[in-house]
């Protein structure tokens, strides 16, 4: 869970590599996708995990780079 909303809003680069995670986001206590709090996210490192999907990133329209290698992702669905 994101504990500091101000940090999340100001964060432009997030490192989640090599943490053994299986999904990128969870719902907060209000049922909202926690990744939506990272409104200025430009770079996401989620490589070397156990991810099978990259869900919940639709609101991160500022993202310029995504590093997701060495996961269990088999396909990518692009939203428009």
């Amino acid at each position: 869970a994101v504990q500091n909303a101000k940090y999340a809003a100001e964060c432009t680069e997030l490192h989640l590599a090599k943490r053994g995670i299986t999904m990128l986001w969870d719902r907060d206590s209000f049922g909202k996708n926690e990744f939506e709090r990272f409104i200025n996210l430009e770079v996401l490192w989620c490589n070397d995990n156990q991810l099978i999907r990259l869900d919940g990133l639709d609101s991160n329209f500022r993202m310029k780079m995504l590093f997701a290698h060495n996961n269990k992702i088999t396909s990518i669905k692009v939203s428009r």
Side-chain angles (χ1 to χ4, degrees):
V2 177
Q3 300 297 321
N4 187 328
K6 182 179 178 187
Y7 167 79
E10 294 175 356
C11 181
T12 59
E13 189 164 341
L14 185 59
H15 293 260
L16 298 175
K18 299 179 182 179
R19 294 180 183 234
I21 58 177
T22 57
M23 56 192 271
L24 280 180
W25 63 277
D26 200 359
R27 299 220 179 263
D28 63 13
S29 57
F30 301 105
K32 187 176 181 179
N33 171 354
E34 289 189 339
F35 252 88
E36 290 177 6
R37 296 181 185 200
F38 292 89
I39 58 175
N40 290 307
L41 191 63
E42 296 179 359
V43 182
L44 175 60
W45 296 80
C46 58
N47 54 291
D48 299 302
N49 281 297
Q50 302 296 314
L51 298 171
I52 58 171
R53 294 191 304 260
L54 293 175
D55 291 343
L57 298 176
D58 293 338
S59 63
N60 302 101
F61 61 90
R62 289 183 175 92
M63 189 159 330
K64 297 174 183 171
M65 290 187 280
L66 172 64
F67 299 94
H69 53 281
N70 295 331
N71 277 289
K72 295 182 177 183
I73 300 167
T74 57
S75 65
I76 296 176
K77 179 183 173 185
V78 178
S79 63
R80 296 175 191 245

